[in-house]
Amino acid sequence: MSPYGEKTSVIRVPSSIKSDVLVYLEAFKNKVAKPLEPMPPVLQASLNPIALARPVYSATVSAGQSRFPSPAQDYEQKFLDLNERYINNPPATFFFEVKGNSMEGVGIFEGDTVIVDRAVKPKSSSIIIAAVDGEWMVKRLYKRGDVIKLLSEHPDHAPITFSEGQELVIFGIVTYVIHQPK
């Protein structure tokens, strides 16, 4: 019986890559000894969501100086489906609740819900959900050449840099943030 409590089997690998495979297996064995933090509970978007059409007043809302509205705007009405507007790829869309203040500089606050798309390819400056050595976080991705960092958007939080042996798994890209106004 193996140390994992189950039957084992023999595998064959080409001699030319045997040492590489052994290094990989040794690293895997060390990870098994230190279990990763479980993935936080997330909600996935429905594959066939029910239309959630809501009436939308056709006029825009000024956040600046007040203007006189057009009288015709009172008679126009459109409908907005939240799924259609905010979820581009339902099978790859997930929702996370944010804990902490490290992304306040970009308007992501504790208690907010972020909508995450796993199908979007991350690029430098994307806001991502990632696991660093098993710890889940939301950060801004910095990628230049071989240098990868995860940046916070709060002065109290230093950038996360990586050294040999650390693991970064990018889960997906934050596409929208939902929060209540204060």
Side-chain angles (χ1 to χ4, degrees):
M1 192 63 69
S2 78
Y4 302 104
E6 57 188 81
K7 287 179 67 174
T8 61
S9 59
V10 176
I11 61 169
R12 296 176 64 92
V13 297
S15 296
S16 62
I17 64 167
K18 178 182 174 185
S19 61
D20 294 334
V21 171
L22 290 173
V23 167
Y24 173 79
L25 291 174
E26 186 62 33
F28 179 77
K29 186 169 95 178
N30 292 337
K31 283 185 186 174
V32 170
K34 181 188 113 187
L36 293 177
E37 184 177 308
M39 185 174 158
V42 295
L43 298 173
Q44 183 175 10
S46 173
L47 295 177
N48 297 308
I50 297 170
L52 185 58
R54 293 285 166 267
V56 176
Y57 188 67
S58 62
T60 57
V61 178
S62 174
Q65 187 175 2
S66 176
R67 308 257 183 210
F68 291 103
S70 164
Q73 289 176 343
D74 291 339
Y75 301 103
E76 296 177 27
Q77 190 171 19
K78 298 183 211 174
F79 286 90
L80 168 68
D81 182 337
L82 298 175
N83 292 308
E84 201 173 282
R85 172 80 184 256
Y86 297 111
I87 299 174
N88 294 325
N89 190 354
T93 301
F94 295 81
F95 303 87
F96 286 80
E97 185 174 332
V98 176
K99 181 180 174 192
N101 68 347
S102 72
M103 297 302 286
E104 286 181 351
V106 290
I108 301 175
F109 301 96
E110 177 147 5
D112 286 357
T113 298
V114 291
I115 302 175
V116 178
D117 192 334
R118 294 196 74 183
V120 177
K121 184 177 181 188
K123 62 182 182 185
S124 190
S125 81
S126 295
I127 296 177
I128 62 169
I129 296 293
V132 176
D133 295 330
E135 181 184 349
W136 291 91
M137 57 188 66
V138 57
K139 299 290 179 198
R140 182 177 300 280
L141 178 64
Y142 172 91
K143 200 160 81 168
R144 296 282 188 270
D146 291 340
V147 176
I148 295 177
K149 297 179 190 177
L150 297 181
L151 307 176
S152 295
E153 296 288 341
H154 191 285
D156 293 346
H157 299 273
I160 297 171
T161 56
F162 297 92
S163 56
E164 185 68 31
Q166 281 191 295
E167 181 180 42
L168 167 65
V169 177
I170 297 175
F171 181 83
I173 305 301
V174 174
T175 54
Y176 292 97
V177 180
I178 304 168
H179 68 257
Q180 291 184 318
K182 298 187 189 258

